[in-house]
Amino acid sequence: MISRRNFLKTSALTLGGMSLPSLISCAGGNENKAAEAAAPAPKEFIGLQTYSLGAELAADVPGGLAKVKSFGYTDLELAGYNNGRIHAGYGDGDEGYAPADYKKLCDDLGLNILSAHLGTPSQYKTPEAEFTEAWKKTVEDHVTLGCTYIVDPSMPQCATIDEVKQACDRFNLAGKICKEAGIQFGYHNHNNEFTKLATPEQIKAKREEIIEMMKKRFPQMKPTDEMINGMMRRNAPGTMYEQLYMDNTDPELVCFQLDVYWCMIGDQDPCEWITEHSDRIKLLHIKDRWIIGDSGMMNWKNIFTRAKAVGIKHFFVELESDPKGRKQFEGVEKSAQFLASQDYVW
Ligand code: MG
């Protein structure tokens, strides 16, 4: 199973090398100044992706979850399932809990386990019978946990449209097995889902279009491969992976969890995606550079307002590790304080 941490390590685009997101309607904002002035108010729902706490949670799971509850979080999305055990944080570094024991721990604290991340279906080249057997057991364990959702956060390795279709078939199968168990299956994006994949015909046609355009605009110039390839990169043909996943999966079996931060890093407007795909996007990941609301690059008011308008009910705060080395619990607590202080957060 590919862990989220390994996935992020191997992801082609990282924070260090990313392009700046364009100035779009969900970018920017001064909410944090408002957070300092406003009095915190309890919210009915604030979700946390437990990956945010990493090894700090693994060091003391009951104590850590009690802190999470005290910060105002109501719901969890787990990330550490491995071989029938629920691990804290990154899915390793501790012995883990049996699903029933982990659920009891959360029940006793008043935390609801709404969702869990599992990367298995992304490995769509695993033979179907082998996948089905393992997935049924995995889903069973998540029924024990009381999950409403299981979400795959790992992008399948697909170099062609045909491979995307194979991956989507596997997502549909994963979703069907989930549905039979009363769980909704979903897919979570990073930024690479907003790059395009084209057929050989689309690439050929775009190349010819660029050459023709260059001939007309610069008749004295003979276009080099380097110039044409540069134009191809800036005017990539094809369809975004995220759209291909939506087009090739069954809406009854596969929903989408939009990570609004990675959507921005992919130079996309999360509000547009939320609006245009309101039939598919059922969950959000609320993520910022670190503490939610601190960077000013995310217009949380627009995002939450738009999400409410289309009927999205659940979101999970998610933090990567802090480049400045602050404690993850500090970031998780301050993120909850920020959200609790915003009147547009439902
Ligand atoms: Mg995320």
Coordinates of all heavy atoms in Angstrom, one line a residue, residues 103-195:
K103 N -12.5 2.5 17.4 CA -13.8 3.1 17.4 C -14.3 3.4 18.8 O -14.8 4.4 19.1 CB -14.8 2.2 16.7 CG -16.2 2.8 16.7 CD -17.2 2.1 15.8 CE -18.6 2.5 16.0 NZ -18.9 3.9 16.2
K104 N -14.1 2.4 19.7 CA -14.5 2.6 21.1 C -13.7 3.8 21.7 O -14.4 4.7 22.4 CB -14.2 1.4 21.9 CG -14.7 1.5 23.4 CD -14.7 0.3 24.2 CE -15.4 0.5 25.6 NZ -15.2 1.8 26.2
L105 N -12.5 3.9 21.4 CA -11.7 5.0 21.9 C -12.3 6.4 21.4 O -12.5 7.3 22.2 CB -10.2 4.9 21.3 CG -9.2 5.9 21.8 CD1 -9.0 5.8 23.3 CD2 -7.9 5.5 21.1
C106 N -12.6 6.4 20.2 CA -13.2 7.7 19.6 C -14.6 7.9 20.2 O -15.0 9.0 20.5 CB -13.3 7.6 18.1 SG -11.6 7.6 17.3
D107 N -15.4 6.8 20.2 CA -16.8 7.0 20.8 C -16.7 7.5 22.2 O -17.5 8.4 22.6 CB -17.5 5.6 20.8 CG -18.0 5.1 19.5 OD1 -18.0 6.0 18.6 OD2 -18.4 4.0 19.4
D108 N -15.8 7.0 23.0 CA -15.7 7.5 24.4 C -15.3 8.9 24.5 O -15.7 9.6 25.5 CB -14.7 6.6 25.2 CG -15.2 5.2 25.4 OD1 -16.4 4.9 25.1 OD2 -14.4 4.3 25.8
L109 N -14.6 9.4 23.5 CA -14.2 10.8 23.5 C -15.2 11.7 22.8 O -15.1 12.9 22.8 CB -12.9 11.0 22.7 CG -11.6 10.4 23.5 CD1 -10.5 10.3 22.5 CD2 -11.3 11.3 24.6
G110 N -16.2 11.1 22.2 CA -17.2 11.9 21.4 C -16.7 12.3 20.1 O -17.2 13.3 19.5
L111 N -15.8 11.6 19.5 CA -15.3 11.9 18.1 C -15.9 10.9 17.2 O -15.9 9.7 17.4 CB -13.8 11.8 18.1 CG -13.0 12.9 18.7 CD1 -11.5 12.5 18.8 CD2 -13.1 14.2 17.8
N112 N -16.5 11.4 16.1 CA -17.1 10.5 15.1 C -16.0 10.2 13.9 O -15.4 11.1 13.5 CB -18.3 11.2 14.5 CG -18.9 10.4 13.4 OD1 -19.2 9.2 13.6 ND2 -19.2 11.0 12.2
I113 N -15.9 8.9 13.6 CA -15.0 8.6 12.5 C -15.9 8.6 11.2 O -16.6 7.7 10.9 CB -14.4 7.2 12.7 CG1 -13.6 7.2 14.0 CG2 -13.4 6.9 11.5 CD1 -13.2 5.8 14.4
L114 N -15.8 9.7 10.5 CA -16.6 9.9 9.3 C -16.0 9.3 8.0 O -16.7 8.8 7.1 CB -16.9 11.4 9.0 CG -17.9 11.6 7.9 CD1 -19.3 11.3 8.4 CD2 -17.9 13.1 7.5
S115 N -14.7 9.3 8.0 CA -14.0 8.9 6.7 C -12.6 8.3 7.0 O -12.1 8.4 8.1 CB -13.9 10.2 5.9 OG -13.2 9.9 4.7
A116 N -12.1 7.7 6.0 CA -10.7 7.2 6.0 C -10.1 7.2 4.7 O -10.7 7.0 3.7 CB -10.7 5.8 6.6
H117 N -8.8 7.5 4.6 CA -8.0 7.5 3.4 C -7.3 6.1 3.2 O -6.7 5.6 4.1 CB -6.9 8.6 3.4 CG -7.4 9.9 2.9 ND1 -6.6 10.9 2.4 CD2 -8.7 10.4 2.7 CE1 -7.3 11.9 2.0 NE2 -8.6 11.6 2.2
L118 N -7.4 5.6 2.0 CA -6.8 4.3 1.7 C -6.4 4.4 0.2 O -7.2 4.6 -0.7 CB -7.9 3.2 1.8 CG -8.3 2.9 3.2 CD1 -9.6 2.1 3.2 CD2 -7.3 2.1 4.0
G119 N -5.1 4.1 -0.1 CA -4.6 4.3 -1.4 C -4.7 3.0 -2.3 O -4.4 3.1 -3.5
T120 N -5.2 1.9 -1.7 CA -5.1 0.7 -2.5 C -5.7 0.7 -3.9 O -5.1 0.1 -4.8 CB -5.8 -0.4 -1.6 OG1 -5.5 -0.2 -0.3 CG2 -5.4 -1.8 -2.1
P121 N -6.9 1.2 -4.1 CA -7.5 1.1 -5.4 C -6.7 1.7 -6.5 O -6.8 1.4 -7.7 CB -8.9 1.7 -5.3 CG -9.2 1.6 -3.9 CD -7.9 1.8 -3.2
S122 N -5.8 2.7 -6.2 CA -5.0 3.4 -7.2 C -4.0 2.4 -7.8 O -3.6 2.6 -8.9 CB -4.2 4.5 -6.5 OG -5.1 5.5 -6.0
Q123 N -3.7 1.3 -7.1 CA -2.8 0.3 -7.7 C -3.6 -0.6 -8.5 O -3.8 -1.8 -8.2 CB -2.1 -0.4 -6.6 CG -1.2 0.6 -5.8 CD -0.6 -0.1 -4.6 OE1 0.1 -1.1 -4.7 NE2 -0.8 0.5 -3.4
Y124 N -4.1 -0.1 -9.6 CA -5.2 -0.8 -10.4 C -4.6 -2.0 -11.1 O -5.4 -2.8 -11.7 CB -5.9 0.2 -11.3 CG -4.9 0.8 -12.4 CD1 -4.8 0.3 -13.6 CD2 -4.2 1.9 -12.0 CE1 -4.0 0.8 -14.6 CE2 -3.3 2.5 -13.0 CZ -3.2 1.9 -14.2 OH -2.4 2.5 -15.2
K125 N -3.3 -2.1 -11.2 CA -2.7 -3.2 -12.0 C -2.7 -4.5 -11.1 O -2.4 -5.6 -11.7 CB -1.4 -2.9 -12.6 CG -1.5 -1.8 -13.7 CD -0.3 -1.4 -14.4 CE -0.6 -0.4 -15.5 NZ 0.6 0.1 -16.2
T126 N -3.0 -4.4 -9.9 CA -3.1 -5.6 -9.0 C -4.3 -6.5 -9.6 O -5.3 -5.9 -9.9 CB -3.5 -5.2 -7.6 OG1 -2.6 -4.3 -7.1 CG2 -3.6 -6.5 -6.7
P127 N -4.1 -7.8 -9.8 CA -5.1 -8.6 -10.4 C -6.4 -8.4 -9.6 O -6.5 -8.3 -8.4 CB -4.6 -10.0 -10.2 CG -3.1 -9.9 -10.2 CD -2.9 -8.5 -9.5
E128 N -7.6 -8.4 -10.4 CA -8.9 -8.1 -9.8 C -9.3 -9.0 -8.7 O -9.8 -8.5 -7.6 CB -9.9 -8.1 -10.9 CG -11.2 -7.6 -10.4 CD -12.3 -7.5 -11.6 OE1 -11.9 -7.0 -12.7 OE2 -13.4 -7.9 -11.3
A129 N -9.0 -10.3 -8.8 CA -9.4 -11.2 -7.7 C -8.7 -10.9 -6.4 O -9.2 -10.9 -5.3 CB -9.2 -12.7 -8.2
E130 N -7.4 -10.7 -6.6 CA -6.5 -10.4 -5.4 C -7.0 -9.1 -4.8 O -7.1 -9.0 -3.6 CB -5.1 -10.2 -5.9 CG -4.0 -10.1 -4.8 CD -2.6 -9.9 -5.4 OE1 -2.3 -10.5 -6.5 OE2 -1.9 -9.1 -4.8
F131 N -7.2 -8.1 -5.6 CA -7.7 -6.8 -5.1 C -9.0 -6.9 -4.4 O -9.2 -6.5 -3.2 CB -7.9 -5.8 -6.2 CG -8.7 -4.6 -5.8 CD1 -8.1 -3.6 -5.0 CD2 -10.0 -4.5 -6.1 CE1 -8.8 -2.5 -4.6 CE2 -10.8 -3.4 -5.7 CZ -10.2 -2.4 -4.9
T132 N -10.0 -7.6 -5.0 CA -11.3 -7.8 -4.4 C -11.3 -8.4 -3.1 O -11.9 -8.0 -2.1 CB -12.2 -8.6 -5.4 OG1 -12.3 -7.9 -6.7 CG2 -13.6 -8.8 -4.9
E133 N -10.5 -9.5 -2.9 CA -10.4 -10.2 -1.6 C -9.9 -9.3 -0.5 O -10.5 -9.1 0.5 CB -9.5 -11.4 -1.8 CG -9.6 -12.3 -0.6 CD -8.6 -13.5 -0.6 OE1 -8.1 -13.8 -1.7 OE2 -8.2 -14.0 0.4
A134 N -8.8 -8.6 -0.9 CA -8.2 -7.7 0.1 C -9.1 -6.5 0.4 O -9.2 -6.0 1.6 CB -6.8 -7.2 -0.4
W135 N -9.8 -6.0 -0.6 CA -10.6 -4.8 -0.4 C -11.8 -5.1 0.4 O -12.2 -4.3 1.2 CB -11.0 -4.2 -1.8 CG -11.6 -2.9 -1.7 CD1 -12.9 -2.6 -2.1 CD2 -11.1 -1.6 -1.3 NE1 -13.2 -1.2 -1.9 CE2 -12.1 -0.6 -1.4 CE3 -9.8 -1.3 -0.8 CZ2 -11.9 0.7 -1.1 CZ3 -9.6 0.1 -0.4 CH2 -10.6 1.0 -0.6
K136 N -12.4 -6.3 0.2 CA -13.6 -6.6 1.0 C -13.2 -6.7 2.5 O -14.0 -6.2 3.3 CB -14.1 -8.0 0.6 CG -15.0 -7.9 -0.7 CD -15.6 -9.2 -1.1 CE -16.5 -9.0 -2.3 NZ -17.0 -10.2 -2.9
K137 N -12.1 -7.2 2.8 CA -11.7 -7.2 4.2 C -11.4 -5.8 4.8 O -11.8 -5.4 5.9 CB -10.4 -8.1 4.4 CG -9.6 -7.9 5.6 CD -10.2 -8.6 6.8 CE -9.3 -8.5 8.1 NZ -9.8 -7.8 9.2
T138 N -10.8 -5.0 3.9 CA -10.5 -3.6 4.3 C -11.8 -2.8 4.6 O -12.0 -2.1 5.5 CB -9.7 -2.9 3.2 OG1 -8.5 -3.6 3.0 CG2 -9.5 -1.4 3.4
V139 N -12.8 -3.0 3.7 CA -14.1 -2.3 3.8 C -14.8 -2.8 5.1 O -15.4 -2.0 5.8 CB -14.9 -2.5 2.5 CG1 -16.4 -2.0 2.7 CG2 -14.3 -1.8 1.3
E140 N -14.7 -4.1 5.3 CA -15.3 -4.7 6.5 C -14.8 -4.0 7.8 O -15.5 -3.6 8.7 CB -14.9 -6.2 6.6 CG -16.0 -7.1 7.1 CD -15.4 -8.6 6.9 OE1 -14.8 -9.0 7.8 OE2 -15.7 -9.2 5.8
D141 N -13.5 -3.8 7.8 CA -12.8 -3.2 9.0 C -13.3 -1.7 9.1 O -13.5 -1.2 10.2 CB -11.3 -3.2 8.8 CG -10.7 -4.5 9.2 OD1 -11.4 -5.3 9.9 OD2 -9.6 -4.8 8.8
H142 N -13.6 -1.1 7.9 CA -14.1 0.3 8.0 C -15.6 0.4 8.3 O -16.0 1.4 8.8 CB -13.7 1.0 6.7 CG -12.2 1.4 6.7 ND1 -11.3 0.4 6.5 CD2 -11.6 2.5 7.0 CE1 -10.1 0.9 6.6 NE2 -10.2 2.2 6.9
V143 N -16.3 -0.7 8.1 CA -17.7 -0.8 8.6 C -17.6 -0.8 10.1 O -18.4 -0.1 10.8 CB -18.4 -2.0 8.0 CG1 -19.7 -2.2 8.8 CG2 -18.7 -1.8 6.5
T144 N -16.7 -1.6 10.7 CA -16.5 -1.7 12.1 C -16.2 -0.3 12.7 O -16.6 0.0 13.8 CB -15.4 -2.7 12.4 OG1 -15.7 -4.0 11.9 CG2 -15.2 -2.9 13.9
L145 N -15.4 0.4 12.0 CA -15.0 1.8 12.4 C -16.2 2.8 12.4 O -16.1 3.8 13.0 CB -13.9 2.3 11.6 CG -12.5 1.8 11.9 CD1 -11.5 2.1 10.7 CD2 -11.9 2.3 13.1
G146 N -17.2 2.4 11.6 CA -18.4 3.3 11.5 C -18.2 4.3 10.4 O -18.9 5.4 10.4
C147 N -17.3 4.1 9.5 CA -17.0 5.1 8.4 C -18.2 5.3 7.5 O -18.9 4.3 7.1 CB -15.9 4.7 7.5 SG -14.3 5.0 8.3
T148 N -18.4 6.5 7.1 CA -19.4 6.8 6.0 C -18.7 6.9 4.7 O -19.4 6.6 3.6 CB -20.1 8.2 6.3 OG1 -20.7 8.1 7.6 CG2 -21.2 8.5 5.3
Y149 N -17.5 7.3 4.7 CA -16.7 7.4 3.4 C -15.4 6.7 3.5 O -14.8 6.6 4.6 CB -16.4 8.9 3.2 CG -17.6 9.8 2.9 CD1 -18.2 10.4 3.9 CD2 -18.1 9.9 1.6 CE1 -19.3 11.3 3.7 CE2 -19.1 10.8 1.4 CZ -19.8 11.4 2.4 OH -20.9 12.2 2.2
I150 N -14.9 6.2 2.4 CA -13.5 5.7 2.2 C -13.0 6.5 1.0 O -13.7 6.5 -0.1 CB -13.4 4.2 1.9 CG1 -13.7 3.4 3.2 CG2 -12.0 3.9 1.5 CD1 -13.7 1.9 3.0
V151 N -11.9 7.2 1.1 CA -11.4 8.0 0.1 C -9.9 7.6 -0.3 O -9.1 7.4 0.5 CB -11.3 9.5 0.5 CG1 -10.8 10.4 -0.6 CG2 -12.8 9.9 0.9
D152 N -9.7 7.5 -1.6 CA -8.4 7.2 -2.1 C -7.6 8.5 -2.5 O -8.1 9.3 -3.3 CB -8.5 6.4 -3.4 CG -7.2 5.8 -3.9 OD1 -6.1 6.5 -3.6 OD2 -7.1 4.7 -4.5
P153 N -6.5 8.7 -1.8 CA -5.8 10.0 -2.0 C -4.5 9.8 -2.9 O -3.7 10.7 -3.0 CB -5.3 10.4 -0.6 CG -5.0 9.0 0.0 CD -5.9 8.0 -0.6
S154 N -4.3 8.6 -3.5 CA -3.1 8.4 -4.3 C -3.4 8.4 -5.8 O -4.2 7.6 -6.2 CB -2.5 7.0 -3.9 OG -2.3 7.0 -2.5
M155 N -2.8 9.2 -6.5 CA -3.0 9.3 -8.0 C -2.5 8.0 -8.7 O -1.3 7.7 -8.5 CB -2.3 10.5 -8.5 CG -2.8 10.9 -9.9 SD -2.0 12.5 -10.4 CE -2.6 12.6 -12.1
P156 N -3.4 7.4 -9.4 CA -2.9 6.2 -10.2 C -1.8 6.6 -11.2 O -1.9 7.7 -11.7 CB -4.1 5.7 -10.9 CG -5.3 6.4 -10.3 CD -4.8 7.7 -9.7
Q157 N -0.9 5.7 -11.5 CA 0.1 6.0 -12.5 C -0.4 5.7 -13.8 O -0.4 4.5 -14.2 CB 1.4 5.2 -12.2 CG 2.0 5.4 -10.8 CD 2.5 6.9 -10.7 OE1 3.3 7.3 -11.5 NE2 2.1 7.5 -9.6
C158 N -0.9 6.6 -14.5 CA -1.5 6.4 -15.9 C -0.9 7.3 -16.9 O -0.9 8.6 -16.7 CB -3.0 6.8 -15.8 SG -4.0 5.8 -14.6
A159 N -0.3 6.7 -17.9 CA 0.3 7.5 -19.0 C -0.5 7.6 -20.2 O -0.2 8.4 -21.1 CB 1.7 6.9 -19.3
T160 N -1.6 6.9 -20.3 CA -2.5 6.9 -21.5 C -4.0 7.0 -21.0 O -4.3 6.6 -19.9 CB -2.3 5.6 -22.3 OG1 -2.8 4.5 -21.5 CG2 -0.9 5.4 -22.8
I161 N -4.8 7.4 -21.9 CA -6.3 7.4 -21.6 C -6.7 6.0 -21.3 O -7.6 5.8 -20.4 CB -7.1 7.9 -22.9 CG1 -6.6 9.4 -23.2 CG2 -8.6 7.9 -22.6 CD1 -7.1 10.5 -22.3
D162 N -6.2 5.0 -22.0 CA -6.6 3.6 -21.7 C -6.3 3.2 -20.3 O -7.1 2.6 -19.6 CB -5.9 2.7 -22.7 CG -6.5 1.3 -22.6 OD1 -7.7 1.2 -22.7 OD2 -5.7 0.3 -22.5
E163 N -5.1 3.7 -19.8 CA -4.7 3.3 -18.4 C -5.7 4.1 -17.4 O -6.0 3.5 -16.4 CB -3.3 3.7 -18.2 CG -2.3 2.7 -18.8 CD -0.9 2.8 -18.5 OE1 -0.5 4.0 -18.1 OE2 -0.1 1.9 -18.6
V164 N -6.0 5.3 -17.8 CA -7.0 6.0 -16.9 C -8.3 5.3 -16.8 O -8.9 5.1 -15.8 CB -7.3 7.5 -17.5 CG1 -8.5 8.1 -16.8 CG2 -6.0 8.4 -17.3
K165 N -8.7 4.7 -18.0 CA -10.0 4.0 -18.0 C -9.9 2.7 -17.1 O -10.8 2.3 -16.4 CB -10.4 3.6 -19.4 CG -10.9 4.8 -20.1 CD -11.3 4.5 -21.5 CE -11.9 5.8 -22.2 NZ -12.1 5.6 -23.6
Q166 N -8.7 2.0 -17.2 CA -8.5 0.9 -16.3 C -8.5 1.3 -14.8 O -9.1 0.6 -14.0 CB -7.1 0.2 -16.6 CG -7.0 -0.5 -18.0 CD -5.6 -0.9 -18.2 OE1 -5.0 -1.5 -17.4 NE2 -5.1 -0.7 -19.4
A167 N -7.9 2.4 -14.5 CA -7.9 2.9 -13.1 C -9.3 3.2 -12.7 O -9.7 2.9 -11.5 CB -6.9 4.1 -13.0
C168 N -10.0 3.8 -13.6 CA -11.4 4.2 -13.2 C -12.3 3.0 -13.0 O -13.2 2.9 -12.2 CB -12.0 5.2 -14.3 SG -11.3 6.8 -14.1
D169 N -12.0 1.9 -13.8 CA -12.8 0.7 -13.6 C -12.5 0.1 -12.2 O -13.4 -0.4 -11.5 CB -12.3 -0.4 -14.6 CG -12.8 -0.1 -16.1 OD1 -13.7 0.7 -16.2 OD2 -12.3 -0.7 -17.0
R170 N -11.2 0.3 -11.8 CA -10.9 -0.2 -10.4 C -11.6 0.7 -9.4 O -12.0 0.2 -8.3 CB -9.4 -0.2 -10.3 CG -8.9 -0.8 -8.9 CD -9.4 -2.2 -8.7 NE -9.2 -3.2 -9.8 CZ -8.1 -4.0 -9.9 NH1 -7.2 -3.9 -8.9 NH2 -8.0 -4.8 -10.9
F171 N -11.6 2.0 -9.6 CA -12.3 2.9 -8.7 C -13.8 2.5 -8.6 O -14.4 2.4 -7.5 CB -12.2 4.3 -9.1 CG -10.9 5.0 -8.9 CD1 -10.4 6.0 -9.7 CD2 -10.1 4.5 -7.8 CE1 -9.2 6.6 -9.4 CE2 -8.8 5.1 -7.6 CZ -8.4 6.2 -8.4
N172 N -14.4 2.1 -9.8 CA -15.8 1.7 -9.8 C -16.0 0.4 -9.0 O -17.0 0.3 -8.2 CB -16.3 1.5 -11.2 CG -16.6 2.8 -11.9 OD1 -16.9 3.8 -11.3 ND2 -16.5 2.8 -13.2
L173 N -15.1 -0.5 -9.1 CA -15.2 -1.8 -8.4 C -15.0 -1.5 -6.9 O -15.8 -2.0 -6.1 CB -14.1 -2.7 -8.9 CG -14.0 -4.1 -8.2 CD1 -15.3 -4.8 -8.2 CD2 -12.9 -4.9 -8.7
A174 N -14.0 -0.7 -6.6 CA -13.9 -0.3 -5.1 C -15.1 0.3 -4.6 O -15.6 0.0 -3.5 CB -12.7 0.6 -5.0
G175 N -15.7 1.2 -5.4 CA -16.9 1.9 -5.0 C -18.1 1.0 -4.9 O -19.0 1.1 -4.0
K176 N -18.2 0.0 -5.7 CA -19.3 -1.0 -5.7 C -19.2 -1.8 -4.4 O -20.2 -2.0 -3.7 CB -19.2 -1.9 -6.9 CG -20.3 -2.9 -7.1 CD -20.3 -3.5 -8.5 CE -21.4 -4.6 -8.6 NZ -21.0 -5.9 -8.0
I177 N -18.0 -2.3 -4.1 CA -17.8 -3.1 -2.9 C -18.1 -2.2 -1.6 O -18.8 -2.7 -0.7 CB -16.4 -3.7 -2.8 CG1 -16.2 -4.7 -4.0 CG2 -16.1 -4.3 -1.5 CD1 -14.8 -5.1 -4.2
C178 N -17.7 -1.0 -1.7 CA -18.1 0.0 -0.6 C -19.6 0.1 -0.4 O -20.1 0.1 0.7 CB -17.4 1.3 -0.8 SG -15.7 1.4 -0.4
K179 N -20.2 0.4 -1.6 CA -21.6 0.7 -1.6 C -22.4 -0.5 -1.0 O -23.4 -0.3 -0.2 CB -22.1 1.0 -3.0 CG -23.5 1.5 -3.0 CD -24.0 1.9 -4.4 CE -25.4 2.5 -4.3 NZ -25.9 2.9 -5.6
E180 N -22.0 -1.7 -1.4 CA -22.7 -2.9 -0.8 C -22.6 -3.0 0.7 O -23.4 -3.6 1.4 CB -22.1 -4.2 -1.5 CG -22.6 -4.4 -2.9 CD -21.7 -5.3 -3.8 OE1 -20.8 -5.9 -3.2 OE2 -22.0 -5.5 -5.0
A181 N -21.5 -2.3 1.2 CA -21.3 -2.3 2.7 C -21.8 -1.1 3.3 O -21.6 -0.8 4.5 CB -19.8 -2.5 3.0
G182 N -22.5 -0.2 2.5 CA -23.1 1.0 3.1 C -22.1 2.2 3.2 O -22.4 3.1 3.9
I183 N -21.0 2.1 2.5 CA -20.0 3.2 2.5 C -19.9 3.8 1.1 O -20.0 3.1 0.1 CB -18.6 2.6 3.0 CG1 -18.7 2.1 4.4 CG2 -17.5 3.6 2.8 CD1 -17.4 1.5 4.9
Q184 N -19.7 5.1 1.1 CA -19.5 5.9 -0.1 C -18.0 6.0 -0.4 O -17.2 6.4 0.4 CB -20.1 7.2 -0.1 CG -19.7 8.2 -1.2 CD -20.4 7.8 -2.5 OE1 -21.6 7.7 -2.6 NE2 -19.6 7.5 -3.5
F185 N -17.6 5.6 -1.6 CA -16.1 5.6 -2.0 C -15.9 7.0 -2.7 O -16.8 7.5 -3.4 CB -15.8 4.5 -2.9 CG -14.4 4.5 -3.4 CD1 -13.3 4.2 -2.6 CD2 -14.1 4.9 -4.7 CE1 -12.0 4.2 -3.1 CE2 -12.8 4.9 -5.2 CZ -11.8 4.6 -4.4
G186 N -14.7 7.5 -2.5 CA -14.3 8.8 -3.1 C -12.9 8.9 -3.5 O -12.1 8.0 -3.1
Y187 N -12.6 9.9 -4.3 CA -11.2 10.2 -4.7 C -10.7 11.6 -4.3 O -11.5 12.5 -4.5 CB -11.1 10.0 -6.2 CG -9.7 10.3 -6.7 CD1 -8.7 9.3 -6.5 CD2 -9.3 11.5 -7.3 CE1 -7.3 9.6 -6.9 CE2 -8.0 11.8 -7.7 CZ -7.0 10.8 -7.5 OH -5.7 11.0 -7.9
H188 N -9.5 11.7 -3.8 CA -9.0 13.0 -3.3 C -7.8 13.4 -4.2 O -6.9 12.6 -4.5 CB -8.5 12.8 -1.9 CG -7.5 13.8 -1.4 ND1 -6.2 13.8 -1.8 CD2 -7.6 14.8 -0.5 CE1 -5.5 14.8 -1.2 NE2 -6.4 15.4 -0.4
N189 N -7.8 14.7 -4.6 CA -6.8 15.2 -5.5 C -5.6 15.8 -4.8 O -5.7 16.3 -3.7 CB -7.4 16.3 -6.4 CG -7.8 17.5 -5.6 OD1 -8.9 17.4 -5.0 ND2 -7.0 18.5 -5.5
H190 N -4.4 15.8 -5.5 CA -3.3 16.7 -5.2 C -3.3 17.7 -6.3 O -4.3 18.1 -6.9 CB -2.0 15.9 -5.0 CG -2.1 15.1 -3.7 ND1 -2.6 13.8 -3.7 CD2 -1.6 15.4 -2.5 CE1 -2.5 13.4 -2.4 NE2 -1.9 14.3 -1.7
N191 N -2.1 18.2 -6.8 CA -2.1 19.2 -7.8 C -1.9 18.5 -9.2 O -2.4 19.1 -10.2 CB -1.0 20.2 -7.6 CG 0.3 19.6 -7.4 OD1 0.4 18.5 -6.9 ND2 1.4 20.3 -7.8
N192 N -1.3 17.3 -9.3 CA -1.0 16.8 -10.6 C -2.3 16.4 -11.4 O -2.2 16.2 -12.6 CB -0.1 15.6 -10.5 CG 1.3 16.0 -10.2 OD1 1.7 17.1 -10.3 ND2 2.1 15.1 -9.7
E193 N -3.4 16.2 -10.6 CA -4.7 15.9 -11.3 C -5.1 17.0 -12.2 O -6.0 16.9 -13.1 CB -5.8 15.7 -10.3 CG -5.7 14.3 -9.6 CD -4.7 14.2 -8.5 OE1 -3.9 15.2 -8.3 OE2 -4.7 13.2 -7.8
F194 N -4.5 18.2 -12.1 CA -4.9 19.4 -12.9 C -3.9 19.6 -14.1 O -4.0 20.6 -14.7 CB -5.1 20.6 -12.0 CG -6.1 20.3 -11.0 CD1 -5.7 20.1 -9.7 CD2 -7.5 20.3 -11.3 CE1 -6.6 19.8 -8.7 CE2 -8.4 20.0 -10.3 CZ -8.0 19.8 -9.0
T195 N -3.1 18.6 -14.3 CA -2.4 18.6 -15.6 C -3.2 17.8 -16.6 O -4.1 17.0 -16.2 CB -1.0 17.9 -15.4 OG1 -1.1 16.6 -14.9 CG2 -0.1 18.7 -14.5

